[in-house]
Amino acid sequence: MKTSLFYVKKMVIITGTSKGIGKAVTENYLALGQKVIGIGRTKTIDHHNYQHLFIDLSKQKEVASIQLSIPIDEEIIFIHNAGVLGEIKRFSDQASTDLQTIFQVNLFSGAQLLQNVLKSCPLDQVVKTLFVSSGAGKRPIPSWAGYCASKAAVDLFLQTIQLEELEKGRTDFYCYSFAPGVVDTAMQTSIRSTKKTDFSSVEQFKDLHKDGALNSPQKVAETMVKLLSINQQKPIVCSLKDIE
Ligand SMILES: NC(=O)c1ccc[n+]([C@@H]2O[C@H](COP(=O)([O-])OP(=O)(O)OC[C@H]3O[C@@H](n4cnc5c(N)ncnc54)[C@H](OP(=O)(O)O)[C@@H]3O)[C@@H](O)[C@H]2O)c1
């Protein structure tokens, strides 16, 4: 395993930096002296190396308007972290299908930004990308149909992109669909507040919280930064446990 032991100048682009995992990853890179561009609706970080683009990732037109100026002499890291669960309810009980928003935020916006990055980077530039996926993309969880489907799509999308870039001769491309486990963020708080009649697994999530079994955003962030420091492709679909 080759790990970067010396300082490599990087540009990090990350979605959903206002809280949770995305905020922790951003703070980690800023502490390492790297420049970070955050993309999202809300800015909660002030730092001389941090630039924020105010974008609602559920709106395709806003995402399409983003013009990233990408240096061709730096390592580029693109992390699609922003994600939404959608309404936690059985699909046939939901007021609307809600799938458009879930897929737009969880996959389409990240895909569009990744396409921008790949189009901007010559084939010999080091490009790394990580989409935060989920164990929910590997098994069905009742009341999360849209979320499960969108995260499963992320897994196969990135596996395909990796093959395509290899075919094109992009040799320094590293690509991950990374499941962080159950993480102590606002997303989990909202899961625990769901009614049992709407979400049959709610007690399991409450128990995990009660037992202190959730991963901290800091631990997840450190693992993501470690994975993205390795200049060797590890399994594309991976989880926190694989990297620790
Ligand atoms: N927490 C877990 O247990 C867990 C487990 C597996 C996977 N994940 C995945 O990890 C990622 C991060 O989740 P988290 O737990 O850190 O959740 P979180 O605390 O709820 O943070 C979600 C982030 O996404 C941003 N976001 C959501 N909708 C957006 C939109 N329309 N436009 C722009 N930004 C938007 C939020 O920004 P705002 O502040 O503007 O809303 C926030 O910065 C997600 O992809 C999630 O699916 C989480």
Side-chain angles (χ1 to χ4, degrees), residues 114-132:
L114 176 59
Q115 192 183 56
N116 286 357
V117 168
L118 291 171
K119 280 180 189 283
S120 305
C121 295
L123 288 176
D124 59 355
Q125 187 167 7
V126 181
V127 179
K128 297 175 177 171
T129 191
L130 181 153
F131 282 40
V132 183

Side-chain angles (χ1 to χ4, degrees), residues 178-238:
F178 173 83
V182 184
V183 193
D184 196 2
T185 66
M187 186 175 273
Q188 283 296 322
T189 310
S190 75
I191 291 168
R192 289 194 300 275
S193 68
T194 315
K195 286 188 287 179
K196 198 175 174 180
T197 46
D198 284 331
F199 183 41
S200 54
S201 305
V202 69
E203 292 305 324
Q204 289 169 29
F205 285 91
K206 285 183 180 171
D207 287 347
L208 285 173
H209 183 246
K210 216 182 316 159
D211 297 345
L214 274 62
N215 297 318
S216 71
Q218 290 72 22
K219 179 182 172 182
V220 173
E222 281 164 23
T223 308
M224 286 167 59
V225 170
K226 179 177 161 190
L227 176 61
L228 289 167
S229 72
I230 300 166
N231 284 359
Q232 186 188 60
Q233 180 67 53
K234 311 286 281 175
I236 297 165
V237 177
C238 59

Side-chain angles (χ1 to χ4, degrees), residues 16-21 40-42 55-58 81-84 105 132-134 147 151 180-183 185-188:
T17 56
S18 65
K19 58 190 175 191
I21 297 169
R41 291 179 297 201
T42 321
I55 296 288
D56 183 341
L57 294 161
S58 70
N81 159 77
V84 286
V105 176
V132 183
S133 60
S134 174
Y147 184 74
K151 294 294 186 178
V182 184
V183 193
T185 66
M187 186 175 273
Q188 283 296 322

Side-chain angles (χ1 to χ4, degrees), residues 162-183:
Q162 171 70 22
L163 290 177
E164 289 180 2
E165 293 308 303
L166 266 181
E167 281 182 359
K168 287 179 72 171
R170 192 181 286 286
T171 46
D172 271 327
F173 180 57
Y174 309 95
C175 180
Y176 301 103
S177 186
F178 173 83
V182 184
V183 193

Side-chain angles (χ1 to χ4, degrees), residues 101-115:
T101 304
I102 296 172
F103 271 77
Q104 185 63 50
V105 176
N106 294 359
L107 174 62
F108 302 157
S109 292
Q112 182 152 17
L113 289 164
L114 176 59
Q115 192 183 56

